[in-house]
Protein backbone atom coordinates (compact mmCIF):
# COMPACT_ATOMS: atom_id res chain seq x y z
CA UNK A 1 0.00 0.00 0.00
CA UNK A 2 2.79 2.45 0.89
CA UNK A 3 4.34 2.02 -2.56
CA UNK A 4 1.19 3.31 -4.28
CA UNK A 5 0.59 6.91 -3.14
CA UNK A 6 -3.03 7.02 -4.33
CA UNK A 7 -3.89 3.72 -2.69
CA UNK A 8 -2.06 4.75 0.46
CA UNK A 9 -4.03 8.01 0.67
CA UNK A 10 -7.35 6.20 0.13
CA UNK A 11 -6.49 3.60 2.77
CA UNK A 12 -5.55 6.36 5.19
CA UNK A 13 -8.85 8.19 4.67
CA UNK A 14 -10.90 5.01 5.14
CA UNK A 15 -8.96 4.00 8.25
CA UNK A 16 -9.25 7.49 9.76
CA UNK A 17 -13.01 7.44 9.18
CA UNK A 18 -13.27 3.99 10.76
CA UNK A 19 -11.22 5.07 13.81
CA UNK A 20 -13.35 8.22 14.19
CA UNK A 21 -16.57 6.19 14.19
CA UNK A 22 -15.19 3.68 16.69
CA UNK A 23 -13.78 6.37 18.99
CA UNK A 24 -16.74 8.75 18.86
CA UNK A 25 -18.75 7.08 21.67
CA UNK A 26 -15.66 6.97 23.89
CA UNK A 27 -14.93 10.65 23.24
CA UNK A 28 -18.23 11.57 24.84
CA UNK A 29 -17.08 10.16 28.19
CA UNK A 30 -13.41 11.12 28.38
CA UNK A 31 -11.33 10.53 31.50
CA UNK A 32 -9.35 13.48 32.89
CA UNK A 33 -7.68 11.77 35.87
CA UNK A 34 -4.12 12.52 37.03
CA UNK A 35 -3.03 9.00 36.10
CA UNK A 36 -0.58 8.75 33.20
CA UNK A 37 0.04 5.62 31.15
CA UNK A 38 3.06 5.08 28.86
CA UNK A 39 2.83 2.46 26.11
CA UNK A 40 6.31 0.95 25.60
CA UNK A 41 6.03 -2.32 23.68
CA UNK A 42 9.63 -2.84 22.63
CA UNK A 43 12.36 -5.41 22.24
CA UNK A 44 15.33 -5.18 24.60
CA UNK A 45 17.41 -2.72 22.60
CA UNK A 46 14.69 -0.18 21.98
CA UNK A 47 13.56 -0.51 25.61
CA UNK A 48 16.91 0.99 26.61
CA UNK A 49 16.47 3.85 24.13
CA UNK A 50 13.11 4.77 25.73
CA UNK A 51 14.69 5.30 29.17
CA UNK A 52 15.45 9.05 28.71
CA UNK A 53 11.83 9.73 27.72
CA UNK A 54 10.49 7.76 30.68
CA UNK A 55 12.92 9.58 33.00
CA UNK A 56 11.43 12.89 31.82
CA UNK A 57 7.88 11.61 32.34
CA UNK A 58 8.67 10.13 35.76
CA UNK A 59 10.23 13.44 36.85
CA UNK A 60 6.99 15.20 35.94
CA UNK A 61 4.31 12.72 37.03
CA UNK A 62 6.00 10.72 39.80
CA UNK A 63 3.84 8.01 41.33
CA UNK A 64 1.02 8.73 38.88
CA UNK A 65 3.05 7.18 36.05
CA UNK A 66 2.45 3.60 34.86
CA UNK A 67 4.27 1.84 32.01
CA UNK A 68 2.66 -0.84 29.85
CA UNK A 69 5.41 -3.13 28.59
CA UNK A 70 6.61 -6.71 28.26
CA UNK A 71 8.13 -8.61 31.20
CA UNK A 72 11.71 -8.43 29.88
CA UNK A 73 11.37 -4.67 29.44
CA UNK A 74 10.14 -4.37 33.03
CA UNK A 75 13.37 -5.97 34.24
CA UNK A 76 15.37 -3.42 32.27
CA UNK A 77 13.36 -0.48 33.61
CA UNK A 78 13.87 -1.82 37.14
CA UNK A 79 17.60 -1.21 36.68
CA UNK A 80 16.86 2.52 36.49
CA UNK A 81 13.58 3.25 38.29
CA UNK A 82 12.45 2.52 41.84
CA UNK A 83 8.78 1.68 42.46
CA UNK A 84 7.68 2.29 38.89
CA UNK A 85 4.16 0.98 38.26
CA UNK A 86 3.63 -1.47 35.39
CA UNK A 87 0.99 -3.11 33.27
CA UNK A 88 2.85 -6.21 32.09
CA UNK A 89 1.63 -7.58 28.77
CA UNK A 90 2.60 -10.80 26.98
CA UNK A 91 3.64 -11.25 23.38
CA UNK A 92 0.71 -13.68 23.16
CA UNK A 93 -1.64 -10.74 23.82
CA UNK A 94 -0.98 -9.58 20.26
CA UNK A 95 -2.40 -11.63 17.40
CA UNK A 96 -1.70 -11.69 13.67
CA UNK A 97 2.12 -11.64 13.92
CA UNK A 98 2.05 -9.33 16.92
CA UNK A 99 -0.07 -6.62 15.31
CA UNK A 100 -3.51 -6.72 16.92
CA UNK A 101 -4.03 -6.38 20.70
CA UNK A 102 -6.50 -8.87 22.14
CA UNK A 103 -9.38 -8.05 24.50
CA UNK A 104 -7.39 -8.99 27.61
CA UNK A 105 -4.59 -6.53 26.80
CA UNK A 106 -7.07 -3.73 26.08
CA UNK A 107 -8.90 -4.41 29.36
CA UNK A 108 -5.65 -4.24 31.34
CA UNK A 109 -4.88 -0.86 29.83
CA UNK A 110 -8.38 0.55 30.33
CA UNK A 111 -8.42 -0.52 34.01
CA UNK A 112 -5.68 2.01 34.77
CA UNK A 113 -8.18 4.81 34.16
CA UNK A 114 -5.47 7.05 32.73
CA UNK A 115 -6.34 10.63 31.90
CA UNK A 116 -3.20 10.86 29.74
CA UNK A 117 -1.67 8.18 27.51
CA UNK A 118 1.75 8.59 25.86
CA UNK A 119 2.51 6.15 23.06
CA UNK A 120 6.26 5.50 22.84
CA UNK A 121 5.78 2.50 20.56
CA UNK A 122 4.31 4.12 17.48
CA UNK A 123 3.26 0.94 15.71
CA UNK A 124 0.13 -0.93 14.73
CA UNK A 125 0.18 -2.96 17.97
CA UNK A 126 0.08 0.14 20.17
CA UNK A 127 -2.56 1.74 17.95
CA UNK A 128 -4.89 -1.23 18.40
CA UNK A 129 -4.13 -1.34 22.11
CA UNK A 130 -5.29 2.23 22.79
CA UNK A 131 -7.78 3.06 20.01
CA UNK A 132 -10.80 2.58 22.32
CA UNK A 133 -9.33 4.20 25.44
CA UNK A 134 -11.17 7.18 26.98
CA UNK A 135 -8.14 9.21 28.10
CA UNK A 136 -8.61 12.96 27.71
CA UNK A 137 -5.17 13.21 26.10
CA UNK A 138 -3.55 10.57 23.91
CA UNK A 139 -0.12 11.74 22.75
CA UNK A 140 2.53 10.06 20.63
CA UNK A 141 3.80 9.17 17.20
CA UNK A 142 2.70 6.56 14.69
CA UNK A 143 2.04 6.02 11.01
CA UNK A 144 -0.22 8.68 9.48
CA UNK A 145 -2.89 5.98 9.11
CA UNK A 146 -3.47 6.05 12.88
CA UNK A 147 -3.31 9.80 13.41
CA UNK A 148 -7.01 9.99 14.30
CA UNK A 149 -6.39 8.03 17.53
CA UNK A 150 -4.24 10.81 19.01
CA UNK A 151 -5.27 14.14 20.45
CA UNK A 152 -1.60 15.22 20.33
CA UNK A 153 0.22 13.65 17.39
CA UNK A 154 3.73 13.93 15.98
CA UNK A 155 5.06 12.24 12.86
CA UNK A 156 7.92 9.75 13.30
CA UNK A 157 11.17 11.68 12.89
CA UNK A 158 13.46 10.61 10.05
CA UNK A 159 16.72 11.84 11.58
CA UNK A 160 18.87 10.37 14.38
CA UNK A 161 18.84 9.37 17.19
CA UNK A 162 16.33 6.69 18.31
CA UNK A 163 16.38 8.21 21.80
CA UNK A 164 15.10 11.44 20.26
CA UNK A 165 12.17 9.70 18.62
CA UNK A 166 10.89 8.74 22.07
CA UNK A 167 11.77 12.11 23.58
CA UNK A 168 9.67 13.74 20.83
CA UNK A 169 6.60 11.93 22.18
CA UNK A 170 7.43 12.91 25.77
CA UNK A 171 7.76 16.57 24.71
CA UNK A 172 4.10 16.54 23.70
CA UNK A 173 3.17 16.47 27.40
CA UNK A 174 6.21 17.72 29.37
CA UNK A 175 8.91 20.33 28.96
CA UNK A 176 12.44 18.92 28.61
CA UNK A 177 15.36 21.16 29.41
CA UNK A 178 18.38 19.04 30.40
CA UNK A 179 18.43 16.43 27.65
CA UNK A 180 22.06 15.52 28.31
CA UNK A 181 21.42 14.27 31.84
CA UNK A 182 18.44 12.22 30.68
CA UNK A 183 20.53 10.43 28.05
CA UNK A 184 23.59 9.86 30.20
CA UNK A 185 23.68 6.46 31.91
CA UNK A 186 26.93 6.84 33.85
CA UNK A 187 30.03 4.62 33.93
CA UNK A 188 30.81 1.35 35.70
CA UNK A 189 34.33 0.24 34.84
CA UNK A 190 35.64 -3.19 35.83
CA UNK A 191 39.07 -3.82 34.26
CA UNK A 192 39.38 -7.30 35.81
CA UNK A 193 36.07 -8.45 34.32
CA UNK A 194 35.81 -10.63 31.23
CA UNK A 195 35.58 -9.12 27.78
CA UNK A 196 32.06 -10.40 27.21
CA UNK A 197 31.17 -11.42 23.65
CA UNK A 198 27.51 -11.64 22.65
CA UNK A 199 27.33 -13.09 19.11
CA UNK A 200 23.60 -12.87 18.40
CA UNK A 201 21.06 -10.20 17.44
CA UNK A 202 17.38 -9.75 16.67
CA UNK A 203 17.62 -11.17 13.16
CA UNK A 204 20.15 -13.00 11.00
CA UNK A 205 21.38 -10.12 8.84
CA UNK A 206 22.49 -8.17 11.95
CA UNK A 207 24.80 -10.99 13.02
CA UNK A 208 28.49 -11.33 12.31
CA UNK A 209 29.28 -15.02 11.81
CA UNK A 210 29.55 -17.09 15.01
CA UNK A 211 32.78 -18.63 13.72
CA UNK A 212 34.32 -15.15 13.61
CA UNK A 213 33.27 -14.45 17.20
CA UNK A 214 34.88 -17.73 18.27
CA UNK A 215 38.10 -16.77 16.51
CA UNK A 216 37.91 -13.33 18.12
CA UNK A 217 37.64 -14.93 21.56
CA UNK A 218 40.74 -17.05 20.88
CA UNK A 219 42.68 -13.93 19.85
CA UNK A 220 41.46 -11.83 22.80
CA UNK A 221 42.44 -14.49 25.32
CA UNK A 222 46.08 -13.77 24.48
CA UNK A 223 45.53 -10.21 25.73
CA UNK A 224 42.77 -10.43 28.35
CA UNK A 225 40.30 -13.10 29.47
CA UNK A 226 37.20 -13.25 27.27
CA UNK A 227 33.89 -15.10 27.51
CA UNK A 228 31.17 -15.82 24.98
CA UNK A 229 27.65 -15.57 26.37
CA UNK A 230 25.15 -17.90 24.74
CA UNK A 231 21.36 -17.64 25.07
CA UNK A 232 19.96 -21.08 25.85
CA UNK A 233 17.57 -20.99 22.90
CA UNK A 234 20.47 -20.48 20.46
CA UNK A 235 22.66 -23.30 21.81
CA UNK A 236 22.78 -26.66 20.04
CA UNK A 237 25.15 -29.63 19.80
CA UNK A 238 27.00 -28.20 16.80
CA UNK A 239 27.75 -24.91 18.57
CA UNK A 240 28.66 -26.68 21.80
CA UNK A 241 31.13 -28.86 19.88
CA UNK A 242 32.69 -25.79 18.24
CA UNK A 243 33.16 -24.03 21.58
CA UNK A 244 34.66 -27.06 23.29
CA UNK A 245 36.96 -27.85 20.39
CA UNK A 246 38.48 -24.37 20.54
CA UNK A 247 38.49 -24.41 24.39
CA UNK A 248 36.33 -21.29 24.51
CA UNK A 249 35.27 -19.86 27.86
CA UNK A 250 31.47 -19.53 27.63
CA UNK A 251 28.33 -19.26 29.72
CA UNK A 252 24.69 -20.01 28.94
CA UNK A 253 21.89 -17.64 29.94
CA UNK A 254 18.32 -18.81 30.38
CA UNK A 255 16.61 -15.44 30.77
CA UNK A 256 17.09 -11.68 30.76
CA UNK A 257 18.18 -11.69 34.41
CA UNK A 258 21.07 -14.00 33.56
CA UNK A 259 22.15 -11.69 30.75
CA UNK A 260 22.01 -8.63 33.01
CA UNK A 261 24.09 -10.35 35.71
CA UNK A 262 26.75 -11.38 33.20
CA UNK A 263 26.96 -7.86 31.75
CA UNK A 264 27.38 -6.35 35.22
CA UNK A 265 30.60 -8.35 35.71
CA UNK A 266 32.11 -7.53 32.31
CA UNK A 267 34.91 -5.11 31.46
CA UNK A 268 33.76 -4.55 27.86
CA UNK A 269 30.78 -5.98 25.99
CA UNK A 270 31.38 -6.85 22.33
CA UNK A 271 28.59 -7.70 19.95
CA UNK A 272 26.37 -6.77 17.04
CA UNK A 273 23.64 -4.14 17.26
CA UNK A 274 21.52 -5.98 19.84
CA UNK A 275 19.75 -5.80 23.16
CA UNK A 276 22.83 -7.12 24.97
CA UNK A 277 25.08 -4.21 24.03
CA UNK A 278 22.28 -1.73 24.72
CA UNK A 279 21.82 -3.18 28.21
CA UNK A 280 25.59 -2.85 28.66
CA UNK A 281 25.42 0.87 27.88
CA UNK A 282 22.53 1.29 30.35
CA UNK A 283 24.69 -0.35 33.03
CA UNK A 284 27.59 1.98 32.22
CA UNK A 285 29.73 -0.68 30.57
CA UNK A 286 32.02 0.11 27.61
CA UNK A 287 30.86 -1.42 24.33
CA UNK A 288 32.34 -2.30 20.96
CA UNK A 289 29.64 -2.85 18.35
CA UNK A 290 29.74 -4.42 14.88
CA UNK A 291 27.20 -2.66 12.66
CA UNK A 292 25.92 -3.83 9.28
CA UNK A 293 22.29 -3.40 8.19
CA UNK A 294 21.49 -0.73 10.80
CA UNK A 295 22.84 2.82 10.77
CA UNK A 296 25.15 3.66 13.72
CA UNK A 297 23.99 7.30 13.63
CA UNK A 298 20.55 6.16 14.84
CA UNK A 299 21.67 3.42 17.24
CA UNK A 300 25.08 4.23 18.73
CA UNK A 301 25.17 4.55 22.50
CA UNK A 302 25.31 7.95 24.12
CA UNK A 303 28.41 9.04 26.03
CA UNK A 304 32.04 7.94 26.04
CA UNK A 305 33.61 4.47 25.90
CA UNK A 306 31.33 3.26 23.10
CA UNK A 307 33.06 2.47 19.81
CA UNK A 308 32.11 0.55 16.71
CA UNK A 309 33.12 -0.78 13.31
CA UNK A 310 31.01 -0.27 10.21
CA UNK A 311 32.04 -0.92 6.61
CA UNK A 312 29.60 0.73 4.21
CA UNK A 313 28.54 -0.98 0.98
CA UNK A 314 25.96 -0.21 -1.69
CA UNK A 315 23.42 -2.13 0.42
CA UNK A 316 24.14 -0.26 3.66
CA UNK A 317 21.77 2.39 5.03
CA UNK A 318 22.14 5.84 3.52
CA UNK A 319 23.24 8.55 6.00
CA UNK A 320 19.62 9.55 6.70
CA UNK A 321 18.19 5.99 6.80
CA UNK A 322 17.86 3.70 9.80
CA UNK A 323 17.97 0.50 7.77
CA UNK A 324 19.78 -0.90 4.78
CA UNK A 325 18.51 -2.97 1.85
CA UNK A 326 15.71 -5.49 2.27
CA UNK A 327 14.40 -3.83 5.45
CA UNK A 328 17.85 -4.28 7.02
CA UNK A 329 17.91 -7.87 5.80
CA UNK A 330 14.70 -8.91 7.52
CA UNK A 331 13.05 -9.52 4.14
CA UNK A 332 16.31 -10.69 2.53
CA UNK A 333 18.34 -12.58 5.15
CA UNK A 334 20.78 -13.76 2.49
CA UNK A 335 22.30 -10.25 2.24
CA UNK A 336 25.75 -10.18 3.82
CA UNK A 337 26.25 -6.69 5.26
CA UNK A 338 29.34 -7.51 7.34
CA UNK A 339 31.36 -9.95 5.27
CA UNK A 340 34.15 -7.43 4.73
CA UNK A 341 34.74 -6.97 8.49
CA UNK A 342 37.59 -9.24 9.56
CA UNK A 343 38.47 -10.75 12.92
CA UNK A 344 41.63 -8.64 12.96
CA UNK A 345 39.58 -5.46 12.43
CA UNK A 346 37.42 -6.18 15.47
CA UNK A 347 40.28 -7.50 17.59
CA UNK A 348 42.35 -4.36 17.10
CA UNK A 349 39.33 -2.17 17.84
CA UNK A 350 38.50 -3.97 21.10
CA UNK A 351 42.14 -3.96 22.27
CA UNK A 352 42.46 -0.26 21.49
CA UNK A 353 39.28 0.51 23.46
CA UNK A 354 40.42 -1.56 26.45
CA UNK A 355 43.83 0.13 26.59
CA UNK A 356 42.32 3.59 26.22
CA UNK A 357 39.95 3.03 29.16
CA UNK A 358 41.68 0.76 31.61
CA UNK A 359 45.37 1.54 31.34
CA UNK A 360 44.50 4.88 32.96
CA UNK A 361 41.81 3.77 35.41
CA UNK A 362 41.96 2.38 38.99
CA UNK A 363 40.96 -1.22 39.64
CA UNK A 364 37.24 -0.39 39.68
CA UNK A 365 35.38 2.83 39.04
CA UNK A 366 31.79 4.02 39.14
CA UNK A 367 30.35 7.49 38.73
Amino acid sequence: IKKDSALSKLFGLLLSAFIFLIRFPFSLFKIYSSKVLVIALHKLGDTVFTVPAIKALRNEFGENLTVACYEDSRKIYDLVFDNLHYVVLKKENFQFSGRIADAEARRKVRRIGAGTIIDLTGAINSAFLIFNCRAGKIAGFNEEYFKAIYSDYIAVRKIPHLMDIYLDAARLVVGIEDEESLKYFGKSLTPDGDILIHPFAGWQAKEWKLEKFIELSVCLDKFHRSKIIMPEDRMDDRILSMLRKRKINFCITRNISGLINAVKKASIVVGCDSGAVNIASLLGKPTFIIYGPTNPRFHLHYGEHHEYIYNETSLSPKPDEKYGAGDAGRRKPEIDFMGSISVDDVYLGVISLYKKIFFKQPKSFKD
Side-chain angles (χ1 to χ4, degrees), residues 177-210:
E177 296 179 357
D178 190 0
E179 225 176 81
E180 301 297 306
S181 66
L182 294 174
K183 293 178 177 179
Y184 183 64
F185 295 150
K187 288 182 287 188
S188 178
L189 304 181
T190 312
D192 291 339
D194 295 329
I195 296 177
L196 191 66
I197 299 171
H198 187 278
F200 300 114
W203 60 89
Q204 180 182 326
K206 289 173 73 176
E207 297 177 355
W208 208 39
K209 294 189 180 301
L210 177 60

Side-chain angles (χ1 to χ4, degrees), residues 141-156:
F141 60 88
N142 213 313
E143 298 286 346
E144 286 278 340
Y145 303 135
F146 304 110
K147 185 176 180 179
I149 294 174
Y150 302 86
S151 60
D152 297 76
Y153 172 83
I154 187 169
V156 182

